[in-house]
Amino acid sequence: MDVYELGEGEPEVAVVGAIHGDEPCGARAVRRLRDADLDIERPVRLIVANEPALDAEERYLDADLNRSFPGDPDADALEERLAAELLDALDGCSTLAIHSTQSYAEPFAVVDSMDEVARAVAPHLPVDAVIQTDAFTEGRLIEHPHTLEVEAGLQGSDGAADNAYWLARAFLAATGVVPAPGAESVVDAGGREDVAVFRLRDRIPKPDAETYEVFARNFERVAAGEAFAAAGEEQLRADEPFYPVLLSPYGYRDQFGYVADRVGTIE
């Protein structure tokens, strides 16, 4: 784990990248922040979490780090030891964890629940949606208080790396680490209106097949009876209306993504 601290004093804000080694955008954002000569008004801790997996260009080496929290410092698995070390480094911090996805090119935020940090920070991030995961957070970093995840874009892309940097800059501005930029900046200093909030309801199982396809678009309503995906020759149709989230043909081994409901907005 690689840790950098900017500013004077004990940090109460942190940014974490490379929880998954095959998602380099967060590490690139962290190192860009480190080298950016920012005007730091409040100390911040920047972390590249899983360097061995990042160097190997693998999601993880022994276990999925984002399913391993709170971790165990004496475990055999690298990621279980890292989980305990990372939680210790994040103790007392409002935290942004940066990820990327195979299913959607535009940034969105993920929270366990809409706590005061999520409500205060999410409208100031350059995202158009917030996903509330509720029952689907076991072992993930966002189970822990005052933590937001962001999906910065398509895994391995330059666009995701650039998005990750500006998401982190917006988070640092919203938490008082750096001055709020002018309105003309990429970072939204004034807040966004009507950020849609979706709550995950269920997983979408993926039947065994040689090939997979998706027809629906993430965050766009699927009507009852509409075909939204296919497993080989079998089409999957919606039993009732829903909003697909993280829907992709090959992003998960055993599921297409998630069924979600649109539950409101953050204004």
Side-chain angles (χ1 to χ4, degrees):
M1 192 167 75
D2 206 355
V3 181
Y4 314 100
E5 292 189 359
L6 306 180
E8 297 182 2
E10 179 65 21
E12 295 179 340
V13 177
V15 176
V16 181
I19 286 177
H20 291 135
D22 60 353
E23 299 175 6
C25 63
R28 290 174 64 180
V30 162
R31 289 165 178 157
R32 188 174 169 187
L33 289 170
R34 176 198 63 188
D35 298 335
D37 193 26
L38 299 173
D39 183 9
I40 301 297
E41 297 184 342
R42 184 183 182 194
V44 60
R45 184 168 290 136
L46 309 175
I47 300 175
V48 178
N50 197 345
E51 287 182 286
L54 183 67
D55 291 342
E57 299 181 353
E58 297 286 348
R59 187 171 182 83
Y60 55 83
L61 298 187
D62 296 326
D64 189 332
L65 177 54
N66 210 30
R67 301 298 184 273
S68 297
F69 294 98
D72 180 353
D74 300 317
D76 291 333
L78 166 69
E79 280 81 7
E80 291 183 13
R81 298 194 304 273
L82 275 177
E85 184 181 355
L86 182 56
L87 275 190
D88 185 61
L90 297 176
D91 185 40
C93 289
S94 297
T95 300
L96 181 74
I98 302 172
H99 291 268
S100 55
T101 176
Q102 295 185 35
S103 64
Y104 196 67
E106 299 303 317
F108 60 92
V110 183
V111 299
D112 178 34
S113 60
M114 293 304 300
D115 66 11
E116 62 272 22
V117 171
R119 290 188 178 279
V121 172
H124 294 273
L125 301 180
V127 299
D128 293 321
V130 176
I131 310 305
Q132 186 172 334
T133 56
D134 286 345
F136 301 95
T137 57
E138 185 175 358
R140 292 174 60 170
L141 183 58
I142 55 171
E143 277 191 303
H144 299 276
H146 310 315
T147 301
L148 291 83
E149 287 184 359
V150 287
E151 298 284 354
L154 294 176
Q155 189 173 313
S157 68
D158 289 337
D162 196 50
N163 289 341
Y165 175 75
W166 289 110
L167 285 160
R169 282 287 304 270
F171 175 77
L172 296 184
T175 52
V177 173
V178 298
E184 74 281 358
S185 171
V186 174
V187 179
D188 187 349
R192 299 167 70 84
E193 296 181 357
D194 298 333
V195 177
V197 180
F198 298 84
R199 177 178 290 130
L200 300 188
R201 183 180 359 131
D202 207 352
R203 294 181 173 90
I204 303 173
K206 182 190 287 184
D208 288 336
E210 293 294 324
T211 60
Y212 299 99
E213 189 176 1
V214 298
F215 312 129
R217 294 173 59 87
N218 282 288
F219 306 116
E220 295 187 8
R221 186 177 183 272
V222 173
E226 182 179 346
F228 61 86
E233 298 298 319
E234 177 188 359
Q235 287 195 347
L236 281 68
R237 296 183 178 274
D239 294 329
E240 57 184 331
F242 75 96
Y243 289 86
V245 171
L246 291 170
L247 186 71
S248 69
Y250 300 105
Y252 297 97
R253 180 181 58 82
D254 57 357
Q255 68 184 74
F256 277 105
Y258 293 91
V259 171
D261 299 312
R262 180 165 175 162
V263 295
T265 60
I266 303 175
E267 299 179 0

